Amino acid sequence: MDAQGRGRADDIDPADQWVLNPNTGEYELRLAPSAAQSSVPGPRGSGGRGPAARGGAARTGRTAPARRSHAAAPDDDAPSPRRRTGAPAEAAAGRRGRRPVQKKAKGKKVLMWTGGTLALVLIGASGAAYLYYEHLNNNITSVSDDGAGTGGFSKDRAINILLIGTDKRTGKGNEGYGDKNSAGHADTTLVLHVSKDRSNATVLSIPRDLITDIPDCPTTQEDGSEKVIPGKQRTRFNNSLGQEERTPSCTMRTITELTGLKMDHFMVADFNAVKTLTSAVGGVDVCLAKDIKDPDSKLDLPKGEHTIEGEEALAFVRTRHSVGFGGDLSRIELQQQFLGSMMRKLKSNDTLTSPSKMIKLAEAGTKALTVDSQISTIKKLADLGAELGKFDTKNLTFATVPVVDNPAEKIKATVVLKEPQAQQLFAMVREDVSLTEVKQEKKKEKAAEAARLKGTKAPASEVRVRILNGGAVAGSAQETLSWLQVQEGVTKSENAGNAEQPLAKTTLEYGPDEADQARRLAEIMGLSGAALKPGKSVTNSQGVPAMTLTLGKDFEGAGVPLTTPEKVPEDVQKATADKVECAK
């Protein structure tokens, strides 16, 4: 927490001065009699309205990995005029704070994220984000997504967040970590996918030594101009950040090329995120199945259960030579176990009902992060957190992208995708299929979709269908028409041109008396029950009723099945956040 402008209250934790009044249900600021001003830090300092306060010093002591974005957003997202002009945030002695009434329930949900190994930090808000709005906004560092993202998450669709832990050596006490002369890499990369109905979430761990292609990356420069950083073929994934001036937006593009998932946002953090956030929450519980003494990561812990924070927590998530097979894949499993424990700790009553911990987490979280400019304010982070906070930890699955040793290497140092398992896993995430069992309503929906495929099927020659291009590559409707007529015998089909609006997924709409035709076409094209949309038929060019097949953005070509796998491939490593695991 910044110390500037705090007067004689430097040694007092701000959280300890906010006391719940049982008569009003609100928090009140209780200062010591000698205190001349509030210890709640503002962006430029705290105190009165005099010249000294208005000319408070700017925040110092933090090395920003990228330029800060203070562009004003409309309405509530814009920083207040007070913050822009440098006036302090005030709280006169004895004045009641504007903290919302805290109910006995956990209250509103707000997201506090790190990147990489602590990226999955989800906490319930106790009002601290609103109390420190101006101050915390100044803590946040943001950079452009350079058009690599969707432009922002939406409440009516699934959410994809790219979470990056970089090995760049920044911050006090990190001199002994990482590559001294490196600009940093995408050392730990996680893709968080939260389902459309918010009932479940999946975290994909991307091995840093995965051989992949990095696309060309248009990148915004300091002066506002754009520079295209050339792509690179067959290189380590971790080169998508830092190297050759690549920014997080380039890692976003690389992830999209690799998985087919379009990212909504990114969040990045360095080593300090692990240390500060684990200390803020009071430590994270871990379990070791054996003694570990790793001189490289500096982890020295005996077998058994431990509560770790700060430097020890960083050593834990960095160790790899002493666990599993001693490589990066073993470290990924260790980090997933750590994140699962962190999630359980953050969502426990011990954390959610502690104003002191919540304020410390708000402070540590906003300082630890670099985010894309679409979510560069506390309000936007809170809005995102409200969506991401809806799933249960038992339905949060960690999975590692399936890989095998690179066959081109004699001395194994890198890995390549294991096929077809990797593509099956990517397809499940793209199609919003949960990797865990979810609530009963979801099961009923799946059962209804499966039922649409059961029953009699009309002969291919009796299937009447109009084909629209609703987002597939140009020419897809004609290609499909030719394939259906020539190879599959669906002669009563026609090209109806382009759909009025693009669709993410291919759909087949049919009338009540066309279900047998729909089942036959679904079988021919490899459509899932979810693609079948009972509705109404339309009149084709011959003046007779016909179904409507709309080729969405998921269409990959005539004859390529569109059915999404329902089960995770057996050899995919995965674990859920609600289970306690011991590192081996």
Side-chain angles (χ1 to χ4, degrees):
M1 185 174 294
D2 289 343
Q4 62 190 9
R6 295 171 66 177
R8 287 173 287 181
D10 284 348
D11 297 327
I12 302 175
D13 188 332
D16 295 334
Q17 295 182 282
W18 288 88
V19 181
L20 180 65
N21 185 332
N23 297 321
T24 65
E26 295 185 351
Y27 279 81
E28 298 179 356
L29 185 63
R30 303 285 178 82
L31 297 179
S34 60
Q37 57 186 8
S38 167
S39 65
V40 179
R44 301 285 187 256
S46 278
R49 298 176 181 260
R54 289 192 295 270
R59 183 170 61 87
T60 60
R62 184 179 179 208
T63 303
R67 67 185 180 281
R68 297 186 180 279
S69 172
H70 293 299
D75 303 324
D76 292 339
D77 291 337
S80 70
R82 175 178 293 172
R83 185 168 71 87
R84 291 196 210 108
T85 57
E90 299 181 38
R95 180 180 300 171
R96 181 172 297 171
R98 295 182 180 177
R99 189 185 187 97
V101 175
Q102 178 169 329
K103 300 180 180 179
K104 293 183 179 179
K106 293 182 179 179
K108 296 180 180 179
K109 302 269 184 174
V110 173
L111 184 69
M112 290 300 161
W113 290 97
T114 74
T117 56
L118 280 186
L120 216 56
V121 177
L122 184 64
I123 63 177
S126 65
Y130 299 98
L131 177 64
Y132 291 105
Y133 182 82
E134 296 177 357
H135 172 73
L136 295 180
N137 272 339
N138 267 0
N139 282 350
I140 299 172
T141 299
S142 68
V143 294
S144 174
D145 70 357
D146 298 313
T150 62
F153 74 95
S154 173
K155 294 183 178 181
D156 60 355
R157 59 178 171 80
I159 299 175
N160 295 313
I161 311 291
L162 174 63
L163 310 156
I164 309 172
T166 176
D167 59 359
K168 184 176 181 179
R169 296 189 344 170
T170 57
K172 182 179 180 181
N174 295 323
E175 295 82 2
Y177 302 127
D179 184 349
K180 181 178 180 180
N181 300 313
S182 174
H185 302 76
D187 192 53
T188 299
T189 303
L190 308 170
V191 174
L192 169 65
H193 171 87
V194 182
S195 66
K196 178 180 178 180
D197 66 2
R198 310 296 188 251
S199 68
N200 64 91
T202 299
V203 177
L204 293 180
S205 293
I206 312 295
R208 66 176 189 178
D209 296 325
L210 173 66
I211 294 299
T212 189
D213 295 337
I214 299 175
D216 292 344
C217 298
T219 306
T220 304
Q221 303 299 297
E222 290 287 345
D223 60 2
S225 62
E226 183 180 279
K227 173 184 177 182
V228 177
I229 301 175
K232 194 169 185 179
Q233 306 296 307
R234 309 300 296 166
T235 186
R236 274 182 167 89
F237 173 84
N238 68 352
N239 289 324
S240 65
L241 177 69
Q243 309 308 299
E244 300 178 36
E245 298 183 344
R246 295 188 179 98
T247 66
S249 66
C250 193
T251 308
M252 290 181 88
R253 297 183 193 278
T254 305
I255 286 290
T256 299
E257 289 284 327
L258 178 69
T259 67
L261 288 165
K262 186 80 168 181
M263 297 292 102
D264 294 302
H265 301 289
F266 66 74
M267 299 180 182
V268 186
D270 58 20
F271 295 137
N272 280 330
V274 182
K275 296 191 291 187
T276 58
L277 281 161
T278 52
S279 295
V281 78
V284 175
D285 299 327
V286 298
C287 178
L288 298 180
K290 62 180 181 180
D291 297 345
I292 292 184
K293 189 169 185 177
D294 185 352
D296 292 325
S297 74
K298 303 179 177 62
L299 181 64
D300 187 358
L301 286 175
K303 174 183 177 181
E305 297 181 355
H306 305 274
T307 300
I308 59 176
E309 62 177 280
E311 291 285 351
E312 197 167 46
L314 178 59
F316 183 88
V317 297
R318 291 187 67 248
T319 191
R320 57 174 174 155
H321 299 303
S322 301
V323 293
F325 295 103
D328 187 53
L329 296 180
S330 297
R331 185 176 67 164
I332 286 176
E333 291 187 41
L334 189 76
Q335 292 172 347
Q336 291 174 348
Q337 294 166 14
F338 179 87
L339 286 170
S341 179
M342 185 76 169
M343 285 289 294
R344 294 191 298 272
K345 182 65 174 287
L346 289 169
K347 300 193 81 170
S348 69
N349 285 333
D350 180 55
T351 300
L352 294 174
T353 59
S354 171
S356 176
K357 287 183 179 179
M358 299 303 290
I359 292 175
K360 289 178 181 177
L361 280 167
E363 191 75 25
T366 52
K367 284 185 177 181
L369 290 175
T370 296
V371 301
D372 68 85
S373 54
Q374 303 290 342
I375 48 172
S376 59
T377 68
I378 292 298
K379 182 182 184 301
K380 290 179 179 178
L381 285 172
D383 288 343
L384 176 59
E387 293 302 305
L388 303 186
K390 295 177 179 178
F391 62 83
D392 194 303
T393 52
K394 69 180 181 181
N395 290 327
L396 170 60
T397 306
F398 295 96
T400 304
V401 172
V403 295
V404 294
D405 288 334
N406 188 348
E409 296 175 335
K410 292 183 178 180
I411 300 178
K412 304 304 180 184
T414 62
V415 294
V416 295
L417 291 179
K418 183 177 184 179
E419 305 292 11
Q421 290 87 340
Q423 297 308 322
Q424 291 172 351
L425 181 59
F426 295 154
M428 290 185 71
V429 178
R430 286 197 306 268
E431 299 303 316
D432 213 17
V433 177
S434 175
L435 273 59
T436 60
E437 291 293 333
V438 293
K439 56 187 179 181
Q440 191 65 30
E441 289 80 357
K442 191 78 171 179
K443 294 181 181 179
K444 291 180 180 179
E445 180 183 341
K446 291 294 182 183
E449 293 172 355
R452 296 171 195 161
L453 298 173
K454 297 178 181 179
T456 59
K457 301 180 180 69
S461 59
E462 295 182 7
V463 173
R464 295 187 300 273
V465 60
R466 299 168 64 251
I467 305 170
L468 296 173
N469 190 327
V473 297
S476 293
Q478 185 60 41
E479 176 192 1
T480 302
L481 175 67
S482 300
W483 174 72
L484 287 175
Q485 291 184 338
V486 176
Q487 298 188 39
E488 301 298 331
V490 185
T491 55
K492 298 177 180 178
S493 52
E494 63 181 36
N495 184 347
N498 294 326
E500 292 182 1
Q501 294 182 343
L503 297 178
K505 300 178 182 179
T506 297
T507 63
L508 175 63
E509 185 175 2
Y510 55 95
D513 58 347
E514 296 172 326
D516 58 341
Q517 296 182 46
R519 286 190 285 268
R520 175 60 69 191
L521 189 60
E523 179 184 63
I524 293 173
M525 296 197 62
L527 297 175
S528 67
L532 271 59
K533 306 296 181 183
K536 61 181 181 179
S537 59
V538 295
T539 302
N540 65 11
S541 61
Q542 303 299 315
V544 294
M547 301 182 295
T548 300
L549 174 67
T550 305
L551 305 178
K553 295 179 181 178
D554 62 338
F555 182 77
E556 296 182 358
V560 179
L562 291 168
T563 304
T564 303
E566 294 294 328
K567 293 184 179 180
V568 182
E570 293 184 359
D571 52 355
V572 172
Q573 179 275 321
K574 68 185 185 73
T576 53
D578 63 322
K579 296 181 180 179
V580 177
E581 302 282 351
C582 290
K584 299 178 181 180

